[in-house]
Amino acid sequence: MWHPQDADVDLDHYLPRELELPDPPGMSGTEDAHVLWDSVQPPFAFFENGEPTAFQVFYQFTVLRVYDERPGNDALHADATAASQTLNPLLDSTPPGVGWQLWEDLRDL
C-alpha cells in the first residue's frame, strides 16, 4: 500500500486487525487471521508512469494465520483467496490517492 506523504490516512479506519476466515477442510478451531502493516522504504524509485515514489508513504501489508498443523497448498491458497476477497472491498473504500496491490506469498514462518 502507498499514499502521498501529505495525505491524512489512518489505515486503522479502513482495515481490520483480524479477519475471520473459514476453517481449512479437515481442520477446525483455526485462529482468525491477523492483519499487519508496517511502514517500509519505497521498494522502487519510480512508478511505472515515471512518477517518483519519494513523496509517498509505503506499507508492507501481511495477513498472518497460525495453524496447529500445516494445511496443504490448496487449503492455503483458499485462505489467501478468502482474505483477498474480504480485503478488496475495504481497500477499494480507501480515499483517493491510496494505492495498493495484493500478492499471494504462502510461506512458512
Side-chain angles (χ1 to χ4, degrees):
M1 296 185 79
W2 60 90
H3 62 77
Q5 288 177 351
D6 60 354
D8 185 21
V9 177
D10 182 354
L11 297 181
D12 280 309
H13 290 289
Y14 301 96
L15 299 172
R17 290 293 183 163
E18 292 191 11
L19 291 178
E20 277 189 46
L21 300 176
D23 286 332
M27 301 178 89
S28 61
T30 305
E31 287 186 32
D32 290 342
H34 304 278
V35 181
L36 313 168
W37 56 84
D38 295 295
S39 295
V40 295
Q41 293 295 319
F44 39 86
F46 297 94
F47 289 104
E48 289 179 7
N49 66 0
E51 180 184 344
T53 60
F55 304 108
Q56 303 283 321
V57 177
F58 279 78
Y59 301 92
Q60 166 99 18
F61 175 32
T62 303
V63 176
L64 173 72
R65 191 166 194 191
V66 178
Y67 305 93
D68 289 332
E69 296 177 29
R70 187 186 192 287
N73 287 338
D74 289 342
L76 290 172
H77 175 69
D79 270 1
T81 299
S84 176
Q85 290 171 346
T86 302
L87 291 170
N88 268 315
L90 302 173
L91 293 166
D92 283 338
S93 74
T94 57
V98 174
W100 53 273
Q101 187 172 18
L102 295 178
W103 290 305
E104 182 176 308
D105 181 2
L106 305 173
R107 66 174 87 172
D108 295 328
L109 297 177

